[in-house]
Amino acid sequence: MSVEMKDSGIAWIGEIPKHWNTIKLGDLYSQRKEKVSDKDFPPLSVTMQGILPQLETAAKTDDGDNRKLVRIGDFAINSRSDRRGSCGISAYDGSVSLINTVLVPRNEMNPIYYNWLFHI
């Protein structure tokens, strides 16, 4: 069975199936920048296995009042270069280090698909 293709409009992607659409990441997510304390929101770690309660081995700061809020369903990405691929959909409300990017879904979506997509 052949699939009718169209130009994606993005040089490095090339052609895509005609019934697909291309959208920018910013159309799916907005960025959460709200700062919170780890006294009010438990500390979380953004790892290769996803978002977990803060690991014992995690580097900790004395500035626990200067963290980013994460809510259940948010997508967080660890921006440290030595943590490439550390990201996930949060199953927890909590707080993460300021080095993480926290994204909030704009619409209802399948979080399992997007979690898989960002790990490939």
Side-chain angles (χ1 to χ4, degrees), residues 19 23 26 38 42-44 49 57 59 62 65 75 87 96 99 102 112:
H19 64 282
I23 57 174
D38 62 2
L44 303 171
Q49 290 74 42
T57 58
D62 292 334
D65 292 331
F75 185 76
C87 61
V96 295
I99 65 165
V102 180
I112 295 169

Side-chain angles (χ1 to χ4, degrees), residues 9-46:
I10 303 167
W12 63 271
I13 292 178
E15 289 191 332
I16 60 174
K18 188 173 184 174
H19 64 282
W20 287 14
N21 294 317
T22 57
I23 57 174
K24 295 180 180 181
L25 185 61
D27 293 339
L28 295 174
Y29 293 96
S30 61
Q31 193 168 353
R32 184 186 303 278
K33 296 181 180 181
E34 183 179 347
K35 291 185 181 176
V36 296
S37 170
D38 62 2
K39 294 174 193 83
D40 299 322
F41 292 91
L44 303 171
S45 291
V46 181

Side-chain angles (χ1 to χ4, degrees), residues 2-119:
S2 68
V3 175
E4 193 173 344
M5 304 293 279
K6 68 178 180 181
D7 181 21
S8 68
I10 303 167
W12 63 271
I13 292 178
E15 289 191 332
I16 60 174
K18 188 173 184 174
H19 64 282
W20 287 14
N21 294 317
T22 57
I23 57 174
K24 295 180 180 181
L25 185 61
D27 293 339
L28 295 174
Y29 293 96
S30 61
Q31 193 168 353
R32 184 186 303 278
K33 296 181 180 181
E34 183 179 347
K35 291 185 181 176
V36 296
S37 170
D38 62 2
K39 294 174 193 83
D40 299 322
F41 292 91
L44 303 171
S45 291
V46 181
T47 73
M48 295 279 283
Q49 290 74 42
I51 302 172
L52 306 170
Q54 190 171 63
L55 304 172
E56 289 298 320
T57 58
K60 296 173 183 68
T61 178
D62 292 334
D63 193 5
D65 292 331
N66 201 18
R67 297 176 61 81
K68 284 186 184 174
L69 176 64
V70 174
R71 293 288 191 183
I72 293 171
D74 286 356
F75 185 76
I77 304 166
N78 191 320
S79 62
R80 283 184 46 175
S81 61
D82 64 334
R83 302 286 192 260
R84 182 166 283 145
S86 295
C87 61
I89 306 291
S90 185
Y92 307 95
D93 284 338
S95 63
V96 295
S97 166
L98 295 178
I99 65 165
N100 293 286
T101 301
V102 180
L103 302 173
V104 180
R106 290 186 185 274
N107 301 304
E108 196 167 315
M109 58 176 60
N110 182 338
I112 295 169
Y113 169 75
Y114 286 95
N115 192 46
W116 169 82
L117 180 65
F118 287 114
H119 278 96

